[in-house]
Amino acid sequence: MDTDTVFFVPWDISGNMLERSKELYKRAGTFDVVSPGDKVAIKLHAGELGNPNYVRPFFIKHIVDEVRSLGGKPFLTDTTTYYPLQRNNAVDHMETAVANGFGFAPFIVADGLRSENGVSRPSPDPLLSEVEVAGAVHQADSMIIVSHLKGHPLTGFGGAIKNVGMGCVTQKTKLEQHRLLDLVVHEDYCQGCGTCVEACWLDLPRIEGDVVVIDSPYCMRCPICSSVCPEGAITLENRDRILHGLSVATKGVMDTFPWGKVSYVNFADEVSTVCDCAVVQGDKYIKDVGIFASYSPLSIDALGLQHIDYGHLNRVHGVDCTEQLVKMAELGVAGSRNPALEKV
């Protein structure tokens, strides 16, 4: 289980990528995490309803079938979102998963019906007060993290680290990570037009004295209000902090598993500047790259970033997405920011 090596199969439009992925998993030892009788969490992003960029279901089905052949008991899993779209609660999330093609295996929303199912774990860094790990993830015996590489408006990039640090925790910890950002209202620019009030999913901004006030502890620092403001009066600042918080949460989730019980697979196809959480597809700005496999979220994301022109994502989203890697290394996570690449 070499955490400094990432295995890679290039995307081949003339080849059978499912068969090529099987060879990748053998070489990488992806399924070595599975022991007979294990309850195996296959962590994926089921995709927001309307966005087609998530990992194709037949790739996930093969992983499910392989886990079963090894005597494991696989279940697909993800957590509810803080924002109120189609995955905000377990009922809607499960229906979305089925609609997006993931009805071939048990789908367990790991943090419960309304994100009430979490297990508090010590934070490995004072940046977060705790890491509330989603219950079904915490109770799993082993886990295979399957991530789709893409852009993200706050973190710049989403891969394995984001799939774990944001995708394996409760809404409480999601909110705490997001609130590491500073939301600043520049009163000299604000015209009190109310555009942000109308746009906010959670109805949190209010106009007082012809100036917007956004002081609710439930504000998740999403970019909606800042992006719609016609005067540029709302900004999100200190954005590296959410990247650091993301890495802290990832380490907290990883610490719930014994060494050698979690493996990682990253798909670099249909790479868009927009996250799979969005209801739109976004700009697919590069050709399909391939599939990566590793035992380290640090190594696998580092290699992925090298292959998808992360500088473009940084420019689009105004953040240095490599800060995720910097913090993971600082936390002592096994792996490398410059791992070896072994093609399959």
Side-chain angles (χ1 to χ4, degrees):
M1 296 181 178
D2 179 7
T3 57
D4 292 339
T5 299
V6 178
F7 295 83
F8 171 67
V9 57
W11 203 270
D12 180 2
I13 61 174
S14 64
N16 186 328
M17 287 306 298
L18 179 60
E19 292 302 318
R20 299 195 73 186
S21 72
K22 293 177 182 179
E23 181 61 29
L24 171 71
Y25 304 148
K26 290 178 183 177
R27 291 279 295 277
T30 298
F31 297 107
D32 291 351
V33 301
V34 179
S35 299
D38 274 4
K39 310 296 189 302
V40 184
I42 300 173
K43 173 62 178 75
L44 73 160
H45 192 308
E48 195 57 65
L49 199 62
N51 187 328
N53 289 345
Y54 51 87
V55 176
R56 293 168 178 83
F58 64 80
F59 284 112
I60 305 297
K61 186 176 187 304
H62 164 67
I63 293 174
V64 167
D65 292 342
E66 187 64 22
V67 169
R68 284 174 175 157
S69 74
L70 296 170
K73 298 181 179 181
F75 64 94
L76 309 181
T77 194
D78 198 0
T79 54
T80 61
T81 61
Y82 186 80
Y83 53 84
L85 291 182
Q86 293 301 311
R87 297 179 301 122
N88 173 256
N89 62 81
V91 176
D92 292 339
H93 199 153
M94 293 173 74
E95 289 187 347
T96 299
V98 171
N100 284 349
F102 297 106
F104 50 79
F107 189 98
I108 299 175
V109 179
D111 59 330
L113 182 62
R114 294 187 173 89
S115 201
E116 74 286 349
N117 181 16
V119 178
S120 178
R121 298 281 299 181
S123 174
D125 186 279
L127 198 59
L128 296 178
S129 62
E130 63 176 351
V131 177
E132 197 169 78
V133 181
V137 168
H138 186 272
Q139 294 163 8
D141 300 304
S142 54
M143 183 160 62
I144 300 173
I145 306 291
V146 184
S147 307
H148 173 237
L149 306 192
K150 66 276 185 180
H152 189 273
L154 295 181
T155 62
F157 161 80
I161 295 171
K162 186 173 184 298
N163 201 5
V164 177
M166 199 70 71
C168 289
V169 299
T170 63
Q171 291 183 22
K172 178 182 178 181
T173 296
K174 287 179 170 71
L175 178 61
E176 185 174 0
Q177 289 180 63
H178 280 79
R179 287 182 63 81
L180 291 171
L181 292 166
D182 291 323
L183 186 150
V184 179
V185 175
H186 303 273
E187 295 185 2
D188 292 343
Y189 298 156
C190 181
Q191 302 297 311
C193 67
T195 301
C196 57
V197 176
E198 295 176 4
C200 179
W201 286 336
L202 301 176
D203 298 322
L204 299 179
R206 65 185 188 278
I207 304 298
E208 290 185 358
D210 296 327
V211 175
V212 68
V213 176
I214 309 174
D215 57 4
S216 170
Y218 300 108
C219 172
M220 68 178 293
R221 306 294 196 253
C222 78
I224 291 178
C225 61
S226 61
S227 64
V228 301
C229 177
E231 306 298 331
I234 305 171
T235 58
L236 296 173
E237 301 179 2
N238 296 318
R239 295 180 63 177
D240 59 324
R241 285 172 56 81
I242 189 174
L243 295 165
H244 295 166
L246 184 66
S247 299
V248 171
T250 298
K251 179 65 161 57
V253 174
M254 293 172 63
D255 287 346
T256 69
F257 288 87
W259 169 246
K261 297 300 286 184
V262 182
S263 62
Y264 303 85
V265 178
N266 278 1
F267 282 77
D269 67 307
E270 302 293 333
V271 180
S272 167
T273 55
V274 172
C275 181
D276 297 353
C277 298
V279 296
V280 297
Q281 185 173 14
D283 174 35
K284 179 183 173 183
Y285 68 97
I286 59 172
K287 293 182 178 180
D288 295 338
V289 176
I291 311 172
F292 301 85
S294 176
Y295 268 84
S296 166
L298 169 58
S299 295
I300 198 170
D301 275 2
L303 244 302
L305 282 168
Q306 291 179 23
H307 283 77
I308 67 168
D309 185 13
Y310 70 86
H312 178 72
L313 296 178
N314 285 352
R315 290 187 293 272
V316 169
H317 298 299
V319 62
D320 182 2
C321 58
T322 63
E323 284 294 322
Q324 301 175 49
L325 310 180
V326 172
K327 188 64 177 181
M328 291 290 280
E330 179 185 307
L331 291 168
V333 173
S336 171
R337 291 177 61 189
N338 294 289
L341 176 67
E342 186 166 328
K343 288 187 177 181
V344 174

